[in-house]
Amino acid sequence: MSTVGGCRYRQAIPPGRRGGRLDTDTNGGLRRGFLPQGPRGYAPLRQPTGQQVMVDTVSAGPTTLLLFGTHTNAALLLMAHPHLRRNVERVYVLGGGVRVTGNLFTAYGANPFAEFNVFGDPFAAYQVLHSGVPVTLVPLDATNTIPVTEEYFAEFGRRWQTTPEARYCFQSLDQVLRRHRRPAPGLHGSTGYYMWDSFAAGVAFSSMRNGDANGANDFAELEYMNITVITSNKPYGVHDGSNPFFDGRATPKFGLKVGGVHSGHVQTGIRDSFCLVPGSNAGRCQDGYTKEVTGSEGVRVHVATSAKPNTVYNSAFDREFSKNFLEVLNLAKQAGRFNISTQFPYYREVLYKPDFINVSRGKPVIFDMDMSPGDFVSLIYLLKAPREVIDVKGVLVNGNGWANIASIDIVYDILHMMGRDDIPVGLGNTTAMGNPTLGCNNVYAIPLGSGGFIDSDTLYGLARLLPRSPRRYTPESTDDPEHRQPLAFEVWQSVRRQLCPGDKITLLTSGPLTNLANISLSDRDASSVIERIYVVGGLIKDGGHEKGNVFTVPSNRYAEFNMFLDPLAAKTVLESNLNITLIPLPAQRKAASFESVLEALEQTQQTPESKFVRQLFALLKELQSKEKLYHHVDIFLGEVLGAVYMVQ
């Protein structure tokens, strides 16, 4: 995550919709609807690490680094392999703000100086700038001068979409502007969006082509400045529990100097009380500030200060790079080969819905899931159950469990594979009940890498084997507010309205109880239409030596993940007057045998879904036997017991 670990800085990025990580992870739903399916994909334990790719590349000879996000990877490379610094010719950095205010809009009240990329890991940025490697910085000072204007966007749409990559860039920009159009102060015709990363790429390319040393850049004005990155706040050497490099350590991390520039207060969150200034909307913390300084405290950095104007008078492009960007995207040379529709010309987006005429339908069921591997198997099982026994009416997902909320697209693919494109999917919360939208909360307990989010979000690399559903996450749009991803509570309301007289809903929850708690609090009459809730989770102690499964928090011996990830929601639901059947951890463990399940799957009739489930469980079993990072994956097999028990 960063050189300090945890989500200290990442929490400043909104996790959900409306411009947060959900919209970025899905590119507003465009990625799956446009990009082709390549033969390469993530595979557990086979995916090279960022560090290994960088070491191999830089070791092979002179290399240029382009850093368009946090600097963690590059900092670790330069710190762990100092002998490779001589092979790094120059580092081009998109980030920082030198003579302008920062853009940390979620935390401006605590830190008005930082820019997102540098704030994501200030210590790493410091290490890169102070590494002795030549650095060219493209900060907000320059990118603020190259906005995407309405005129430019219109010209892009009219004439500049002759290649797949140009069309993809235009459609990406279009869906962003549909969500976020807001004029920038003082800029006539501005959309409020800027050419951040693309402009930095242009500056880097021009410098590499013309030679950075002579300063001849086609797209930006540059000058040398003496700069450092602020990593902690004065007074230095005061241990207040905020600094992960010093506090609680016998010796400072990375061998840092006691009382040095890294030893002060480190911003702990977006509402850090140390950073707040009473009566002011702007805070005093400077973590991540690329500050212009004098003397040995700083280093000499080549800094872009503004975008060069277009040399052609009366052009639709007011900046030289704006024109070049579209020209390059539309070059026939090295153009993209295809998009999804030209790669598979016979592919059609068709919705498959069952015909329920003259079919007896069973009890209405809503499945609430956090999209762990076990939850996807449970969903397949529920869809295979006889319809005269259960009738799956809706699926609710949340983003404070074992997968990022963008994994909702895998739910759509499963439903599409099973011919159930009629079932609505509701988007739940991304944070635990009672917690702010921005923060670390209890979800920090889920691993980010192997055995955690990277595997759940890709279904251990197997999600690409699923058919691509025409349905996918669709963000809110100012142009079409009705055409968007429905929320969990809206799906609940829709299912409730469709109930026949006398019908009641059965719910199965296999994840944090956030969605269910919010439904019970928002719909005071919900209990009147809920027949029973089956809750997969919790640990019931029977006097034995049963322990919980939150293995990443050794100090908590008795919690079970689904309860731990939102304790307040669990308390709200379990203390309600609802009829609840609990499928706790001890029962799940008795069913968690990969050998038995795989043997049974081999003896059954083979269907596409049974082959998929068998492949998933066989992979989990193999990973568990090979690598300690996967020691816990049998908990996902145990989760399936909830669906089996409810149906039986």
Side-chain angles (χ1 to χ4, degrees), residues 211-224:
D212 194 274
N214 61 28
N217 195 284
D218 299 317
F219 307 127
E221 302 287 354
L222 295 106
E223 65 177 89
Y224 282 99

Side-chain angles (χ1 to χ4, degrees), residues 228-365:
T228 190
V229 177
I230 304 299
T231 61
S232 70
N233 301 275
K234 296 179 179 179
Y236 297 139
V238 176
H239 303 305
D240 60 2
S242 70
N243 194 317
F245 297 121
F246 289 88
D247 297 337
R249 296 177 178 272
T251 57
K253 191 174 182 180
F254 300 128
L256 299 179
K257 178 183 175 183
V258 176
V261 294
H262 306 299
S263 65
H265 178 91
V266 175
Q267 187 173 341
T268 59
I270 61 173
R271 298 294 296 170
D272 184 343
S273 59
F274 176 91
C275 304
L276 302 178
V277 178
S280 174
N281 293 327
R284 63 172 177 149
C285 279
Q286 299 185 8
D287 305 59
Y289 178 23
T290 45
K291 187 176 183 179
E292 194 173 7
V293 295
T294 58
S296 60
E297 184 183 348
V299 292
R300 192 168 183 257
V301 176
H302 212 189
V303 180
T305 57
S306 64
K308 285 185 174 180
N310 192 351
T311 54
V312 178
Y313 184 69
N314 266 347
S315 168
F317 311 116
D318 59 351
R319 298 289 185 268
E320 191 67 25
F321 176 72
S322 303
K323 176 184 67 174
N324 176 268
F325 176 66
L326 296 187
E327 289 174 346
V328 170
L329 281 183
N330 287 273
L331 285 175
K333 186 179 181 181
Q334 296 174 203
R337 296 179 62 190
F338 36 60
N339 60 21
I340 186 68
S341 59
T342 53
Q343 182 187 19
F344 303 108
Y346 297 104
Y347 171 75
R348 295 292 181 270
E349 291 197 337
V350 178
L351 295 175
Y352 295 99
K353 302 179 180 181
D355 183 359
F356 286 119
I357 298 176
N358 300 322
V359 175
S360 175
R361 302 176 69 169
K363 292 183 177 182
V365 168

Side-chain angles (χ1 to χ4, degrees), residues 374-397:
D375 288 355
F376 285 114
V377 176
S378 296
L379 176 59
I380 293 173
Y381 181 85
L382 294 175
L383 297 174
K384 294 285 289 184
R387 289 174 187 163
E388 61 271 16
V389 177
I390 69 164
D391 181 15
V392 179
K393 292 287 191 181
V395 176
L396 312 180
V397 302

Side-chain angles (χ1 to χ4, degrees), residues 14-17 20-28 405-408 427 473:
R17 54 202 178 95
R21 287 200 298 271
L22 170 57
D23 288 337
T24 302
D25 289 344
T26 61
N27 199 9
I405 195 69
S407 297
I408 189 173
L427 186 75
Y473 167 75

